[in-house]
Amino acid sequence: MKISTNWLKEYVSLEGVTPLQLADALTTAGLEIEGVDPVAKGTNLVIGEVLTCVPHPDSDHLNVCSVEYGEGPTQIVCGAPNCKTGIKVIVAKVGAELPDITIKAAKVRGQESNGMLCSLRELGVNEKYLTEAQVNGIEILPEDAVVGNTEVLKYLGYDDVVLDASQTPNRADCMAMWSVAYEVGAVLRREVKLPNCENTSNTGSKTTLKINSTSEKCPHFLGKVIGNVTVKESPKWMIDYLHAAGIRAINNIVDISNYVMLETGQPLHFYDLAKMPHREITVVDDVELKLTALDGIEYDVQKGDLVITTGGEPTGIAGIMGGDDSKIDETTKGIIIETAHFNHVSIRNTSKRLGLSTEAASRYTKGLEPLAQNKAMDRAVQLLIELADATNLEETVEFGSSNYKPVQVTETLEHCNKLLGTNFELTEVVEVLKALNFNPTVNGTAITCTIPSYRTDILIPEDIDEEVIRLIGYNRLETTLPTMEATAGQLSHRQLLRRTTKATMTGVGLREVITYTLVKSQFVDEAVLPFGEHIHLASPMSEDRKYVRNNLMQSLLECVSYNQARSATNVNLFEISNVYEKDIVQERVGIILSESLQKSKLHKIEIKSDFYTLKGLLTVWLDKLGFNSNRITIKENTLDTKHFHPYRSATIYLQNELIGIFGEVHPSLVKEWDIKPCVYAEIIFDCLVQNKTQKVKFAPLDRYPSVSRDIALVVEQNVSAQSILEIIQKVGKKLIKSTEVFDIYQGDHVEKGYKSVALSIIYQANDHTLKDEEVNEVHQEILKTLESNLNAKLRG
């Protein structure tokens, strides 16, 4: 927001306050001023008159001028093509300092020159507001300009200084000069006087204008017909204020619409009445069409974009830019005024998609105050009557309403001081709230504020406290040490499990990655272990960052693809991150292994990154977390065969709770990502956090020898090795130290439909040396149970 200090003086006194002091005061109060820039610069300037102008004897383009500015005729050499005898000019005397030059007495091709005749460009005035003649030549002043006047910049209206304010997201009100004036008045404790225009628009004869909206994104709309206006140049003060704000002046009608927008923060649009024969305006959001806007560019409007229509035909992109067909020009005799409230998210999305950023769009995007439409209409009508000879006014038509109810917030002095850590008196707090126009009423130490409509950011007592401290000053905060209880530093349960996870994964050679949380639709639609409704961003940065992810698989596959495409080998990664669905946050661990987990050519060692390697890694990791193999169950994967190979994947359970899925990535997915075969696991870390881990217990080293028995069992093909191990463990649990499957065979010497499972069983007692009879008894019981339960027979 560009803030003209001259314009600001129209509303609040700045006497005794320099622009730099004002910038410091506003910045301290929270409205950050990023620049303090004069509209024009120049010292030692004076208004002069060219008495004579003759060609330079040694130049084909220079002139030797005799100039009078109250100190007697002075010779100045000038090269401007529009210099001539009898004109009033701006003279920079010897010693004058201009933005790019210091004026010195000199000889120009043998002729003395004691000063310079200036153009506005040479005084630092922005070229975009100057005509071609002003850019290429010196400034010719009106005939009534007083020769010898040294307040040249003031005479020209360029003695202004512009503050460049950076708006914080919560202070949308500071996009309006009136609200800025209230802010300055509060900071300086000075009275603010705004133009008295309330209810100015509540006049006019009966109208035939009809206003309507078929979209809930436009709940409030005002329209007014003014039958007669005069199109002419705006007064200089308005042109200067618009230029200071960064807006080019066009004509008085268009300039009034821009001026009112800058004053009130409410964008408004004027339509040429003659180009609106239907006298009807409807806001819609369900059309697809092409529209040529005021900038002469054709835009593609899509469904969801707000569009202004008349007679079923589009006449503007709502809240962003009007159409070219109804623009104001020198032939305009009457106008229709439009002020409306449009949904800020809709305007932001349309503006971003079309790449069309306008002053109006920026204000709608940040949000408007609820009474802005009425204020803008009143002020526009007032200025049109004063500056455009407006007559033949018709009554104002309104669709919907602002539904404005003043917000009241109550705060107590005790709570305010406790929260801020201050000892403010009631009188100084009330003084601040009065300066802010909050209309405080006091009941004991309770203060009830009625918040003005333009301060939409004030909703709760803490907002009041923030206003108090920023205006009284943060320097009133005493330097104190924080009060905190001494506590023993330790990791939370989740932090401990997370740290153990990272140590385990990195210890076997995996690298941790952190991938982007915002993803494209494919990533959430192709989710592993989905658990809810997707979260779609209201205003995404791009199509590829439109959703908040609900799984880690696609992100890790993308990492592998990126690295392998750049000739990286043995890409083994893990990530611990949150995934999201609507109202649900879930922490997960993703692990992906490709090619080899570990490899040494020197020692001829290689651990392939396959299903069994991943299974071993998971069981070791879970054991380190405190979940031993007795609590972990691995089952055949029937849950997801779209992302995983149906015969080389499994689900994993902690007791009876599903905690994850792992296995070989489905070949179709491997092909889609153009990567080498890999294995992947996704574990719901929250499930691990929520379950109790075993306590570490001391166990002495084994003192007694163990006995090993190997058996080979023939079972039906559909009998799992896990079911065999469970029976062995159950029957011989007192003496079984461990069991291990070391071979599974199908083929010759094994009947079709059957398989041979070879196991090694270790027997050991904690308190004595086992005897053969004792081991044989348990061993036979195991074989007997296996035969009765699984029809398992010893292989001959």
Side-chain angles (χ1 to χ4, degrees):
M1 175 73 177
K2 304 287 187 182
I3 303 171
S4 161
T5 53
N6 279 358
W7 191 353
L8 204 54
K9 291 173 187 175
E10 301 279 345
Y11 313 129
V12 58
S13 171
L14 298 181
E15 185 179 353
V17 181
T18 67
L20 282 174
Q21 290 172 333
L22 178 60
D24 287 342
L26 290 175
T27 300
T28 301
L31 183 63
E32 184 178 353
I33 305 299
E34 295 183 337
V36 181
D37 305 307
V39 171
K41 297 178 184 177
T43 62
N44 215 10
L45 301 177
V46 66
I47 293 177
E49 181 178 3
V50 179
L51 302 177
T52 61
C53 178
V54 297
H56 192 292
D58 292 325
S59 173
D60 59 356
H61 70 283
L62 297 176
N63 295 302
V64 179
C65 305
S66 176
V67 182
E68 174 61 56
Y69 51 77
E71 299 179 8
T74 301
Q75 182 170 298
I76 297 175
V77 176
C78 178
N82 62 338
C83 186
K84 59 185 179 181
T85 300
I87 60 174
K88 302 285 181 70
V89 293
I90 304 167
V91 180
K93 298 193 292 185
V94 174
E97 294 184 356
L98 304 183
D100 299 318
I101 190 173
T102 298
I103 305 302
K104 299 178 180 178
K107 281 191 175 183
V108 180
R109 297 191 182 184
Q111 297 292 322
E112 288 189 3
S113 182
N114 297 299
M116 185 175 82
L117 306 186
C118 300
S119 68
L120 294 180
R121 179 172 59 85
E122 289 163 332
L123 297 181
V125 177
N126 194 320
E127 287 187 27
K128 74 177 184 178
Y129 304 126
L130 303 178
T131 64
E132 186 176 351
Q134 287 177 311
V135 171
N136 296 323
I138 59 174
E139 184 69 8
I140 298 177
L141 302 179
E143 292 182 3
D144 61 358
V146 178
V147 173
N149 181 359
T150 56
E151 293 185 330
V152 176
L153 294 181
K154 184 175 182 180
Y155 170 78
L156 294 170
Y158 292 138
D159 59 334
D160 198 2
V161 177
V162 177
L163 308 183
D164 187 358
S166 174
Q167 262 71 43
T168 54
N170 65 318
R171 292 301 303 273
D173 60 300
C174 288
M175 293 291 283
M177 283 296 296
W178 286 359
S179 296
V180 172
Y182 278 124
E183 179 73 4
V184 172
V187 170
L188 301 181
R189 306 294 197 275
R190 296 184 180 182
E191 184 182 2
V192 178
K193 292 183 178 180
L194 300 183
N196 183 15
C197 59
E198 189 174 356
N199 298 322
T200 305
S201 63
N202 294 347
T203 183
S205 60
K206 191 170 180 62
T207 185
T208 57
L209 178 66
K210 294 181 179 179
I211 299 293
N212 189 33
S213 172
T214 62
S215 173
E216 61 182 13
K217 300 172 188 174
C218 175
H220 191 212
F221 197 115
L222 297 177
K224 190 177 188 70
V225 172
I226 297 184
N228 296 306
V229 293
T230 302
V231 179
K232 54 188 176 181
E233 186 180 32
S234 296
K236 191 173 186 310
W237 59 266
M238 179 175 282
I239 294 173
D240 291 341
Y241 291 163
L242 290 176
H243 287 179
I247 296 177
R248 176 186 288 276
I250 298 174
N251 58 53
N252 62 331
I253 307 298
V254 176
D255 293 350
I256 285 171
S257 70
N258 287 325
Y259 183 82
V260 172
M261 175 186 69
L262 293 171
E263 274 194 319
T264 64
Q266 167 69 50
L268 64 171
H269 193 77
F270 293 171
Y271 300 93
D272 189 322
L273 182 60
K275 298 173 184 177
M276 302 279 283
H278 298 283
R279 291 208 174 194
E280 172 266 337
I281 298 176
T282 301
V283 182
V284 300
D285 65 355
D286 59 350
V287 295
E288 291 185 10
L289 48 85
K290 293 184 182 295
L291 175 69
T292 301
L294 287 171
D295 58 5
I297 299 174
E298 187 177 72
Y299 294 96
D300 289 319
V301 176
Q302 298 179 359
K303 287 187 177 181
D305 296 337
L306 284 167
V307 180
I308 308 292
T309 67
T310 180
E313 295 298 320
T315 188
I317 306 171
I320 300 176
M321 187 176 285
D324 192 55
D325 293 341
S326 60
K327 68 180 179 182
I328 306 296
D329 55 34
E330 64 277 1
T331 66
T332 298
K333 302 300 181 184
I335 63 172
I336 297 177
I337 304 174
E338 166 227 307
T339 69
H341 177 83
F342 300 122
N343 178 270
H344 66 283
V345 174
S346 176
I347 299 299
R348 179 170 61 241
N349 289 341
T350 302
S351 173
K352 186 175 180 181
R353 182 178 58 77
L354 296 178
L356 189 54
S357 179
T358 63
E359 289 286 340
S362 69
R363 283 165 172 78
Y364 275 117
T365 295
K366 290 179 173 63
L368 302 178
E369 67 149 300
L371 297 182
Q373 295 84 51
N374 300 82
K375 291 180 179 179
M377 180 65 80
D378 288 339
R379 181 60 167 157
V381 170
Q382 182 187 55
L383 290 174
L384 285 166
I385 293 171
E386 292 177 4
L387 306 178
D389 310 319
T391 58
N392 194 17
L393 278 66
E394 297 182 11
E395 63 185 348
T396 303
V397 183
E398 182 175 21
F399 170 84
S401 68
S402 64
N403 293 319
Y404 173 66
K405 292 182 180 179
V407 174
Q408 286 195 329
V409 181
T410 300
E411 176 60 310
T412 64
L413 182 65
E414 293 82 4
H415 181 262
C416 177
N417 278 327
K418 181 179 180 181
L419 188 69
L420 298 175
T422 55
N423 54 359
F424 295 148
E425 298 290 338
L426 182 63
T427 53
E428 57 184 332
V429 171
V430 171
E431 179 200 358
V432 166
L433 299 177
K434 285 181 177 178
L436 286 163
N437 201 25
F438 281 9
N439 304 307
T441 57
V442 179
N443 183 9
T445 60
I447 309 167
T448 299
C449 298
T450 302
I451 310 302
S453 61
Y454 56 86
R455 288 304 301 272
T456 56
D457 58 312
I458 307 298
L459 299 171
I460 57 176
E462 287 74 14
D463 294 332
I464 298 290
D465 302 336
E466 184 180 1
E467 296 298 297
V468 169
I469 188 61
R470 75 181 184 87
L471 289 186
I472 290 180
Y474 295 101
N475 57 345
R476 286 284 300 275
L477 293 173
E478 296 180 2
T479 302
T480 57
L481 291 173
T483 303
M484 62 179 84
E485 297 179 2
T487 58
Q490 63 181 11
L491 299 175
S492 68
H493 180 56
R494 183 182 292 272
Q495 290 172 326
L496 184 60
L497 294 186
R498 195 182 290 138
R499 184 168 293 186
T500 303
T501 299
K502 292 183 179 184
T504 303
M505 298 302 173
T506 55
V508 296
L510 274 66
R511 290 183 173 88
E512 183 179 8
V513 294
I514 300 173
T515 55
Y516 209 35
T517 303
L518 301 180
V519 297
K520 53 189 172 184
S521 59
Q522 174 194 344
F523 281 31
V524 294
D525 292 337
E526 299 292 327
V528 172
L529 301 175
F531 58 100
E533 182 182 344
H534 306 339
I535 299 175
H536 176 270
L537 297 188
S539 181
M541 294 183 292
S542 68
E543 287 298 313
D544 286 344
R545 305 296 177 200
K546 211 170 183 180
Y547 291 87
V548 184
R549 68 176 172 187
N550 58 357
N551 75 116
L552 302 178
M553 185 178 198
Q554 305 295 332
S555 298
L556 288 174
L557 286 172
E558 187 177 38
C559 277
V560 172
S561 176
Y562 181 89
N563 281 277
Q564 289 186 353
R566 287 155 181 79
S567 303
T569 58
N570 304 325
V571 181
N572 301 299
L573 311 170
F574 78 97
E575 179 174 14
I576 307 174
S577 185
N578 286 337
V579 295
Y580 304 83
E581 289 285 25
K582 192 173 182 180
D583 303 324
I584 305 173
V585 180
Q586 199 175 79
E587 189 169 21
R588 292 188 181 182
V589 178
I591 304 167
I592 193 162
L593 310 178
S594 64
E595 299 181 79
S596 299
L597 178 62
Q598 295 178 10
K599 187 175 183 179
S600 172
K601 290 184 178 180
L602 176 63
H603 300 98
K604 297 180 176 56
I605 294 173
E606 181 176 10
I607 300 175
K608 291 285 187 182
S609 294
D610 57 15
F611 174 87
Y612 294 104
T613 300
L614 181 57
K615 175 177 174 288
L617 173 59
L618 291 174
T619 54
V620 168
W621 165 52
L622 291 170
D623 187 61
K624 285 183 177 291
L625 293 183
F627 305 104
N628 64 32
S629 58
N630 293 333
R631 299 175 65 187
I632 301 299
T633 305
I634 295 174
K635 298 181 179 180
E636 178 185 358
N637 171 30
T638 57
L639 183 66
D640 185 347
T641 56
K642 182 178 181 181
H643 300 97
F644 292 92
H645 194 297
Y647 305 114
R648 299 175 187 172
S649 59
T651 51
I652 185 166
Y653 291 79
L654 177 56
Q655 290 158 332
N656 295 320
E657 182 180 10
L658 175 69
I659 62 169
I661 186 169
F662 72 96
E664 188 174 311
V665 177
H666 199 286
S668 63
L669 204 52
V670 168
K671 184 178 180 181
E672 180 184 331
W673 281 100
D674 191 23
I675 57 178
K676 297 176 183 179
C678 56
V679 289
Y680 177 78
E682 186 149 329
I683 307 298
I684 303 170
F685 194 70
D686 282 342
C687 294
L688 304 179
V689 174
Q690 291 159 9
N691 279 275
K692 289 184 178 180
T693 58
Q694 289 99 337
K695 293 182 180 179
V696 178
K697 295 181 180 180
F698 170 76
L701 294 175
D702 297 326
R703 297 175 56 192
Y704 301 99
S706 60
V707 177
S708 176
R709 297 284 178 91
D710 292 346
I711 58 174
L713 300 171
V714 176
V715 294
E716 292 181 6
Q717 191 172 337
N718 61 354
V719 174
S720 66
Q722 179 67 29
S723 62
I724 297 173
L725 293 175
E726 287 174 355
I727 290 175
I728 293 173
Q729 193 66 39
K730 184 178 181 181
V731 174
K733 59 183 177 181
K734 291 182 179 180
L735 298 183
I736 297 291
K737 179 69 175 177
S738 66
T739 56
E740 180 183 4
V741 177
F742 62 84
D743 183 48
I744 297 178
Y745 172 75
Q746 287 178 272
D748 294 343
H749 309 298
V750 176
E751 186 179 347
K752 189 175 181 180
Y754 287 80
K755 62 184 177 183
S756 171
V757 180
L759 307 98
S760 179
I761 305 173
I762 305 296
Y763 296 94
Q764 189 175 33
N766 296 327
D767 54 357
H768 66 281
T769 300
L770 291 174
K771 297 180 180 179
D772 285 343
E773 297 81 3
E774 193 176 359
V775 172
N776 289 338
E777 183 181 350
V778 175
H779 193 69
Q780 290 303 318
E781 182 64 26
I782 289 173
L783 294 176
K784 183 178 178 182
T785 305
L786 288 170
E787 183 174 6
S788 62
N789 288 4
L790 302 177
N791 196 24
K793 297 180 181 178
L794 283 174
R795 184 178 173 187

